[in-house]
Amino acid sequence: MKRDFALRIDSLLGGVRSSLDAIVEYMRHHIPSGDLSDEEFKKCVHFVGKSMHGTIEFSNELYRLFPDITPDELKGDPPKSK
């Protein structure tokens, strides 16, 4: 796999995670209206969570292959200056 290809895949995975988050928020806002019960919400969120986990594991594998594409917020603390 080439680095730029991995970077593009990771970007698309980020979009998938955003969409999954939007699905959860949409469902959460429809519990009070009766469109979705608390139990149905919990069941659905379980499946969304498994999907989210899969995208994170995929991204982590890409970061392992190409450490330089790891987002700064996921990197460890920078070394302290002496």
Side-chain angles (χ1 to χ4, degrees), residues 23-37 41:
I23 290 168
V24 170
E25 289 306 311
Y26 180 79
M27 289 187 302
R28 183 186 325 273
H29 285 86
H30 283 81
I31 292 172
S33 67
D35 291 335
L36 190 68
S37 71
F41 176 75

Side-chain angles (χ1 to χ4, degrees), residues 1-16:
M1 179 183 313
K2 293 182 178 178
R3 179 196 176 277
D4 288 346
F5 181 81
L7 189 58
R8 177 68 176 139
I9 295 299
D10 185 50
S11 176
L12 292 168
L13 288 167
V16 170

Side-chain angles (χ1 to χ4, degrees), residues 10-11 14 18-19 24 28 36 38 45 49 54 59 62 64 67 80:
D10 185 50
S11 176
S18 292
S19 292
V24 170
R28 183 186 325 273
L36 190 68
D38 285 332
V45 166
S59 286
L62 296 174
R64 188 186 68 72
K80 297 188 180 185

Side-chain angles (χ1 to χ4, degrees), residues 16-17 20 24 42-58:
V16 170
R17 287 189 287 273
L20 290 170
V24 170
K42 289 176 187 174
K43 184 177 179 180
C44 292
V45 166
H46 172 76
F47 291 116
V48 173
K50 287 172 63 175
S51 298
M52 184 77 76
H53 177 75
T55 67
I56 292 168
E57 289 295 312
F58 192 176

Side-chain angles (χ1 to χ4, degrees), residues 61-81:
E61 179 62 16
L62 296 174
Y63 304 152
R64 188 186 68 72
L65 294 171
F66 302 98
D68 65 308
I69 71 169
T70 304
D72 289 341
E73 58 269 17
L74 297 180
K75 293 178 182 175
D77 293 333
K80 297 188 180 185
S81 302

